[in-house]
Amino acid sequence: IPAGLANFSFGQGSSLASPLQIARVIAAIAGGGSSVTPRLVTGLTEDGETVSRRLPAYAGSEILTPDTAASMQRLMTGVIEEGSGRTAQPLIGMAGGKTSSAQTGQFYKTAGGEEKEIVHAWFAGFYPAPGPRYSVTVFVEGGESGELVAAPIFKRILDGLALLDRQ
């Protein structure tokens, strides 16, 4: 179905992905095309400050060619430098990302009786650029706009990461 394929190509129609799945895709782009398995724990600590035992990293598998990943990094950096993701620009350094506003097909009535569709706001990206170390995905249920709602949250997260990296 050509129309279905077109819708799928920009995240509409039957395209379904969780924030974690999107974060993995972004991490693969940031990591030169290699997919990684996310995890919550880096290691163990006795004092709450020093990681005394690091857990082994998982080996990634190539899901994008390095050239494709590099092209995607350049395009996503452009989104923040001069595109719809300008509100995601961190205070320190540069990042790459992509805005998204996902229609749900679900509607509600406003106080004025108008029927409105529920639209989720997304922003996903990597930081810093060049040399990405972080993959961040922001999903705001019913947020309406990736550019106006999710991207500024992404910026705040990156600003916090930059502060942590300076310590």
Side-chain angles (χ1 to χ4, degrees), residues 23-76:
R24 285 188 75 183
V25 170
I26 298 297
I29 292 167
S34 184
S35 176
V36 295
T37 301
R39 61 181 181 180
L40 293 173
V41 178
T42 298
L44 305 174
T45 180
E46 295 291 327
D47 61 10
E49 293 181 19
T50 308
V51 177
S52 60
R53 189 174 132 227
R54 294 206 175 269
L55 299 177
Y58 300 110
S61 59
E62 187 176 289
I63 62 169
L64 299 169
T65 67
D67 287 344
T68 299
S71 293
M72 293 296 296
Q73 285 182 26
R74 282 190 301 277
L75 291 168
M76 292 173 75

Side-chain angles (χ1 to χ4, degrees), residues 12-13 101-110 114-120 141-145:
Q12 300 293 328
S101 300
Q103 296 171 285
T104 64
Q106 298 173 333
F107 293 84
Y108 67 96
K109 289 209 187 270
T110 66
E114 178 186 356
E115 195 169 85
K116 283 191 77 174
E117 185 173 16
I118 298 171
V119 178
H120 301 318
E141 190 171 6
E144 295 288 324
S145 170

Side-chain angles (χ1 to χ4, degrees), residues 85-156:
R86 287 188 204 125
T87 56
Q89 174 63 50
L91 292 173
I92 299 169
M94 177 46 74
K98 177 67 182 91
T99 60
S100 176
S101 300
Q103 296 171 285
T104 64
Q106 298 173 333
F107 293 84
Y108 67 96
K109 289 209 187 270
T110 66
E114 178 186 356
E115 195 169 85
K116 283 191 77 174
E117 185 173 16
I118 298 171
V119 178
H120 301 318
W122 289 79
F123 194 91
F126 56 84
Y127 177 76
R133 293 186 23 229
Y134 302 102
S135 169
V136 176
T137 299
V138 176
F139 172 79
V140 181
E141 190 171 6
E144 295 288 324
S145 170
E147 177 181 3
L148 300 175
V149 176
I153 296 169
F154 178 87
K155 174 202 180 322
R156 289 177 56 198

